[in-house]
Amino acid sequence: MAADRLKQISGHLANSHSNGLLNGEVVIVTGAAQGIGRSCVLLFAREGAKVVISDLDEAKAQAVVDEVKAAGGDAIAVGGDVGADDFPEKILKATVDKFGKLNHIVNNAGFTYDKMLHTMPDESFDAIMRIHVRAPFRLVRAAAPFFRVKGSKENRSIVNVSSVSGLHGSVGQANYAAAKSAIIGFTKTIAKEWGVFNARANTVAFGYVQTRLTAAKEKGETIMINGKLVALGIPGGGKAADEGKPVPGIPLGRGATTDEAANSILFLLSPLASFVTGHTLEVTGGAGI
């Protein structure tokens, strides 16, 4: 089955990468070894991009690189904590050393660290803000020379991943909601400051996407944060989908696949969105309308 899937991806790449929506462009994707990030990498490569795959787990990131290369694309892996002080310089150097330029950044890395507001310790709040707000800010700031280019007509953009939690709040996620709201304001500021350089910045606010962050917490998925294992998921999460039932509150009746999530990011990166900047695209299946 895996071999068939790889052959299918290879066929798509062979047929489309030379005239794809991102042909010859270079994209950094953080949190790209699995979930939405991995789907973004495979999709962007199919559309002709050269992709820099960043993840906390470098071995998993390299496995995605191997998928891309086996299918005829080009990518590199850069492991490490996006929140580390030296991370922006590290990933930008690797990008330029390999590909010589940078067109796009997708700030996708993130996780949840849920607690009810009245019991949430400082460490839970600070850890989420560090990865979801401070890290994107520091990477974008370091990448300024690639985007603040006078007279450039090249397609260049930044997409920051947000959430409906940042638009409407979410029980047990005061930290996550605050961070995902902050990234929207940050993105709009980039759009206003760098629009004169023909550089765009947009946000995607995802609703229910089927990833380890929305799966049942009982499945035992964890992430190591500051030497501590943090449980991921939602108690009883994904139950309706697992039982083949419509998901309440979503007109389309289901959560998005990671490929569907990646499609929305591709649109914002691509020339199809050449006059779209400062926008927050809600990808929710109609939830909240």
Side-chain angles (χ1 to χ4, degrees), residues 114-122 125 170-175:
D114 298 350
K115 292 279 186 179
M116 295 299 284
L117 173 60
H118 64 287
T119 63
M120 182 174 289
D122 288 353
F125 190 89
S170 184
V171 173
Q173 294 188 323
N175 50 0

Side-chain angles (χ1 to χ4, degrees), residues 154-170:
E154 196 168 14
N155 183 33
R156 292 166 300 128
S157 70
I158 293 160
V159 172
N160 294 316
V161 173
S162 184
S163 165
V164 291
S165 292
L167 299 175
H168 306 296
S170 184

Side-chain angles (χ1 to χ4, degrees), residues 40-97:
C40 282
V41 168
L42 297 177
L43 176 61
F44 299 166
R46 189 167 74 236
E47 292 296 333
K50 303 174 190 302
V51 191
V52 180
I53 302 169
S54 162
D55 201 87
L56 192 61
D57 189 328
E58 188 165 9
K60 285 186 178 180
Q62 185 58 50
V64 181
V65 169
D66 295 342
E67 283 188 79
V68 171
K69 289 188 172 181
D74 200 358
I76 59 170
V78 179
D81 178 1
V82 296
D85 286 347
D86 65 346
F87 181 80
E89 290 71 24
K90 176 183 176 181
I91 194 167
L92 290 172
K93 183 179 186 305
T95 300
V96 173
D97 286 350

Side-chain angles (χ1 to χ4, degrees), residues 120-176:
M120 182 174 289
D122 288 353
E123 66 174 308
S124 298
F125 190 89
D126 292 344
I128 290 294
M129 296 299 286
R130 175 176 176 266
I131 299 303
H132 292 263
V133 183
R134 183 179 183 270
F137 157 70
R138 295 187 72 252
L139 178 53
V140 171
R141 181 182 63 184
F146 298 96
F147 293 92
R148 291 171 50 86
V149 181
K150 290 183 179 180
S152 174
K153 300 299 181 183
E154 196 168 14
N155 183 33
R156 292 166 300 128
S157 70
I158 293 160
V159 172
N160 294 316
V161 173
S162 184
S163 165
V164 291
S165 292
L167 299 175
H168 306 296
S170 184
V171 173
Q173 294 188 323
N175 50 0
Y176 189 74

